[in-house]
Amino acid sequence: MKRSGWISILLAFTLLLSIVLTFTSINIHDLYTFITNRDGDEAQTVETLPEEATIAEYDITDFYESTDLELKDVIRPSGYYYHEDQSFYWLNQEDIQQTITAYFSSLPMMVENPDNILETDNFSNLFEEDYLEINFREALPVGLISNYTGVDDLSESSFLMNQIVIPFDDNQTVYLMNSETGEYLEAQMTEQLTKEELKEVISKNTDNAIPVRRYYGQHHFIYLPTEQLTRDSRLYTLEELPENLFISQMFSGDLEPKIVSTSNTSSIYRNYRYSLEINNATKRLDFMISRIDDGNTSTTLEGIEDSFAVIKKYEYWPGDIRLSNRTNGRITYRHYLDNMPIFTVPNLPDYGASTVHLRNDSSQDVYRFQTALLIPQAFINDVSQQYTLASDGEVLTELSELGLQISEFDAVSIGYEWQTDMEDFQKAILVPKWFFYYDDQAYAIDQLDSEAFMKHREEVINEMRGG
């Protein structure tokens, strides 16, 4: 009987506890809201959206950031080569490249007389000494190479350069060259950075550099490795940028665009000044700007600056971007990953670049912008494959079998080739290959026997012969 009384008390306590817990669980949200919204310094508030609010009422640009690169960041060298005691090295390590750039960013080479343009006749002896050669993919106004050079008055400098040669001699003179025209400017390194100091920094890093041999190219030397190189492929998942991201920016502050046409393959938006076409089949956009006035006369430098303003505003590539080509008013900004340029197989659109078009008149106004809606999202590391890239001897043999010579090409570099297999734009496979630059176009080594390259080569040869 006594035991039965204790059991009754325990059951009553259990029932009471159950009621308390149930009440607490029902009202815990109200209790939390009361605590977190109290007045006082320790109080925290939680902003909630109105029940009728939708994502469409918010600016989509808040969810994406365009590139934070500056103009000087996209005008970067394509190659660094060092000659010492009859040996040649490709300084392909990113850390030594950054070190050299940092030196000259803080202590630029000064051009005292940008109008004193000289000819490079009888200049070959310069390349017999120890030297550092810094190449750029495109000849650009000397004033734009601001990571390396300083010019007192940019407006007076019209000289285009694509090469810096620093001979390691006893003076501070360096040479800013245009290898296509055979012209150069002299510049001076500051006394705070001597050639001897620069050479010492480079010499300490040659153990990690790639030994190369020097060959004559179309306009300047081409350096190829003496041994085979290995590089890994890359697999990325892809993100497709929403078209509203571009519509909200490109038509901002102007008359709302009209939808001219829309289909499974493309959508076109247009107002009195702008036209935007989104190609859903290729995942690329084409933005056109109509001229509303005659425009003002501008220089080459100003035209390039205006083209980059478009990149700065509408480019969302997460890696490096570099100005790689400027032909007939078309300026190409190539995308980079792992310090290597990205190209695509011949049957794909160029997902590795954005292109800005300038008007073919004295204004050089921007009138067109083309880019891809696809950007890399996540790198999938465990599926990479290792590829072997040919040595210089193997490259020359392959060219010879095709009836080609290394001297026909402007440059040779390693890049990634974006493959056709994309699984409905869900992934990008990037395969490392040798790329050969011919008449402002890049061809992978396995494209040199293609009908497209042979036709291009024949056209160039006929044009050189005058027919």
Side-chain angles (χ1 to χ4, degrees), residues 402-418:
L402 296 173
L404 303 172
Q405 297 180 349
I406 193 67
S407 58
E408 296 183 55
F409 297 95
D410 303 325
V412 180
S413 72
I414 299 175
Y416 282 126
E417 185 181 63
W418 187 305

Side-chain angles (χ1 to χ4, degrees), residues 343-349 417-418 420 433 443-444 446-447 450 452:
F343 304 93
T344 54
V345 295
N347 59 326
L348 282 184
E417 185 181 63
W418 187 305
T420 304
K433 291 185 177 182
Y443 295 88
D446 54 357
Q447 296 174 23
S450 66

Side-chain angles (χ1 to χ4, degrees), residues 275-325:
S275 175
L276 172 63
E277 179 176 357
I278 304 291
N279 191 317
N280 298 315
T282 62
K283 304 303 179 184
R284 286 183 59 83
L285 70 80
D286 194 341
F287 181 50
M288 301 281 289
I289 305 172
S290 301
R291 175 130 71 185
I292 58 177
D293 53 39
D294 293 335
N296 299 316
T297 300
S298 63
T299 64
T300 300
L301 186 148
E302 290 169 333
I304 293 173
E305 289 176 333
D306 290 345
S307 75
F308 180 70
V310 176
I311 294 295
K312 185 76 174 172
K313 190 172 183 180
Y314 302 129
E315 178 63 75
Y316 291 88
W317 184 261
D320 281 343
I321 305 165
R322 302 185 194 176
L323 196 161
S324 64
N325 185 261

